[in-house]
């Protein structure tokens, strides 16, 4: 079961990174990087790395995305 979740998160991370690179609109590019950040956080959660999971969500997906959007 964990393998299937990992494969799904890896697919989301790669597709979000590709969407970030391909889109010219900054809003869609920011959504792509947000998908990538959240899927990487999910991978940290699978590894039971609680601190890295929380830092990924709070700092990167929260603060950096707010900075990019504004």
């Amino acid at each position: 079961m964990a393998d299937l979740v990992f494969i799904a998160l890896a697919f989301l991370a790669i597709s979000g990174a590709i969407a970030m690179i391909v889109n010219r609109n900054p809003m869609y590019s920011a959504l792509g990087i947000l998908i990538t950040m959240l899927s990487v956080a999910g991978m940290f959660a699978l590894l039971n790395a609680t601190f890295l999971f929380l830092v990924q969500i709070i700092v990167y997906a929260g603060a950096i995305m707010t900075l990019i959007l504004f």
Side-chain angles (χ1 to χ4, degrees), residues 3 7 14-15 20-21 25 27-28 30 32-33 36-37 46-47 53 55 57-58 60-62 69:
D3 293 337
I7 291 171
I14 292 171
S15 62
M20 179 191 65
I21 294 171
N25 188 351
M27 184 65 78
Y28 293 133
I33 197 170
T36 303
M37 298 280 183
L46 282 176
L47 292 172
F53 168 73
V55 167
I57 295 290
I58 294 169
Y60 290 115
L69 292 176

Side-chain angles (χ1 to χ4, degrees), residues 5-70:
V5 174
F6 177 79
I7 291 171
L9 288 173
F11 177 75
L12 281 173
I14 292 171
S15 62
I18 290 172
M20 179 191 65
I21 294 171
V22 171
N23 288 322
R24 296 186 63 126
N25 188 351
M27 184 65 78
Y28 293 133
S29 181
L31 286 175
I33 197 170
L34 180 66
I35 291 169
T36 303
M37 298 280 183
L38 291 176
S39 60
V40 169
M43 288 182 196
F44 284 140
L46 282 176
L47 292 172
N48 291 326
T50 308
F51 178 74
L52 290 176
F53 168 73
L54 291 174
V55 167
Q56 187 79 20
I57 295 290
I58 294 169
V59 174
Y60 290 115
I64 301 297
M65 292 307 300
T66 303
L67 180 67
I68 287 173
L69 292 176
F70 292 109

